[in-house]
Amino acid sequence: MSQTIQEKRVSREQASYFIGKAVTTTNEAEMKGEGVISGQWASYYQDGVFERIPNKKHAGTLAIYTDYQSGETGPYTFALGAEVSAVEEVPQGMKAYSIPASDYVVFTTRTGPVQEIVVEAWQYIWEWSKTNKRAFKTDFELYDDRCADPDNSQVDIYISVK
């Protein structure tokens, strides 16, 4: 296995808006195989969620982690969708979120099978979190044109920091 994280940098991101389908889960449930994230991805593609989102700013999918109730151990909201320029028009079954301006550390995964590289990156981030201060505002994963081939993908994960 090659190095999980190829790059790490701090990036100041401006506030933005997001529309997508949301569920609540915990890291414990996800790691025990009782989670909802994989099912959320399946319905995202089956239901054509991305195609139904109005006012998209770019062609990338965002996976956001927000509404943290108690850091990485408690429930949080996981949503799949897109960054948008306006949230006045939200399709049925979807929610709009404001992603606050924040400082982020950006973790770039190795290139590989998407399910593998994202899990590896989060394991790395959880270790990194033991010695760094996460803000637990809104974190997100960017799935852009580097993810066209699910067996040969690369993802950026933005972690909000204090």
Side-chain angles (χ1 to χ4, degrees):
M1 180 179 7
S2 61
Q3 177 64 30
T4 301
I5 302 300
Q6 294 181 343
E7 189 178 337
K8 187 164 65 170
R9 63 190 184 275
V10 176
S11 167
R12 177 74 183 169
E13 295 292 320
Q14 299 304 311
S16 60
Y17 297 103
F18 168 93
I19 292 176
K21 271 183 87 171
V23 291
T24 300
T25 189
T26 63
N27 288 334
E28 182 182 16
E30 295 300 325
M31 297 314 283
K32 286 167 120 181
E34 300 166 0
V36 295
I37 290 177
S38 62
Q40 188 74 345
W41 277 105
S43 74
Y44 179 75
Y45 290 113
Q46 289 167 356
D47 300 343
V49 172
F50 187 81
E51 292 75 17
R52 295 180 20 229
I53 297 172
N55 305 310
K56 288 186 282 292
K57 287 181 82 172
H58 51 75
T61 290
L62 288 185
I64 69 167
Y65 300 78
T66 192
D67 300 335
Y68 288 99
Q69 292 180 28
S70 54
E72 62 188 42
T73 59
Y76 57 88
T77 297
F78 173 81
L80 284 170
E83 183 180 359
V84 296
S85 57
V87 293
E88 289 78 27
E89 188 185 334
V90 179
Q92 188 174 351
M94 294 189 208
K95 288 182 75 176
Y97 291 90
S98 175
I99 300 174
S102 185
D103 288 327
Y104 290 90
V105 173
V106 183
F107 297 90
T108 302
T109 68
R110 69 178 174 90
T111 301
V114 73
Q115 289 107 329
E116 222 175 81
I117 61 172
V118 173
V119 170
E120 284 174 5
W122 276 104
Q123 289 170 339
Y124 181 96
I125 290 164
W126 293 330
E127 279 302 310
W128 173 90
S129 297
K130 292 176 182 176
T131 56
N132 293 275
K133 295 271 188 232
R134 288 180 60 187
F136 293 103
K137 289 181 183 175
T138 298
D139 302 318
F140 59 93
E141 300 163 352
L142 172 61
Y143 295 84
D144 56 18
D145 55 355
R146 297 171 298 162
C147 299
D149 175 359
D151 293 323
N152 192 31
S153 292
Q154 189 171 47
V155 177
D156 289 331
I157 302 176
Y158 290 71
I159 300 296
S160 59
V161 292
K162 292 182 179 177

